[in-house]
Amino acid sequence: MGLDAYGKVKSPEGEVEEIAYWRKFNSLHGWMETLWRAKFNGEPVELNKTDLEMLELAVKARALPETSGFFFGSPAHERDDYMDLLQSVMDFIKEAREYLAKGWEVAYDSWW
């Protein structure tokens, strides 16, 4: 068991696709949780252009918050693959922007 997180897109016709997957990336989850608390009282967290810009800035500044939880694993910045995880978020942002430009919705969802 552990934190599994997904980047998803939804077409105007309602077709849903998963475009990213992260395992026990607790600091990304913490960033999204903060956004969720600020924006919504529901799930998943829909991401707009501004949200993606803010996420990109946080990733580039290495400012994703360390987030703990029973199933979340060790602090993300201590992982051997931390730089790969950050790059995967940048890849997700790039792809998500392409989907937004086509009129799709973009969301972050998680299960733990």
Side-chain angles (χ1 to χ4, degrees):
M1 288 190 90
L3 173 64
D4 295 300
Y6 312 89
K8 297 181 178 182
V9 295
K10 182 175 157 183
S11 73
E13 295 80 27
E15 176 186 351
V16 177
E17 292 182 23
E18 180 182 311
I19 63 170
Y21 169 77
W22 300 277
R23 175 94 175 126
K24 294 187 179 184
F25 191 6
N26 51 36
S27 54
L28 175 62
H29 184 76
W31 191 92
M32 293 293 181
E33 181 180 5
T34 300
L35 177 64
W36 174 79
R37 290 182 189 279
K39 290 180 71 169
F40 296 105
N41 190 19
E43 58 181 285
V45 177
E46 185 176 337
L47 303 172
N48 60 34
K49 181 181 176 184
T50 301
D51 299 329
L52 294 172
E53 289 169 2
M54 292 183 340
L55 177 58
E56 181 177 29
L57 290 173
V59 169
K60 286 181 176 179
R62 308 294 187 267
L64 295 175
E66 288 304 326
T67 306
S68 61
F70 185 75
F71 296 114
F72 286 10
S74 61
H77 73 277
E78 294 176 359
R79 292 177 49 170
D80 292 338
D81 64 344
Y82 183 60
M83 297 306 291
D84 293 334
L85 290 169
L86 293 178
Q87 183 59 52
S88 73
V89 177
M90 296 302 291
D91 294 344
F92 164 71
I93 292 168
K94 180 182 178 188
E95 191 169 358
R97 286 178 171 148
E98 293 170 2
Y99 277 98
L100 283 176
K102 294 190 286 188
W104 290 48
E105 295 175 8
V106 175
Y108 172 85
D109 198 1
S110 64
W111 181 88
W112 49 277

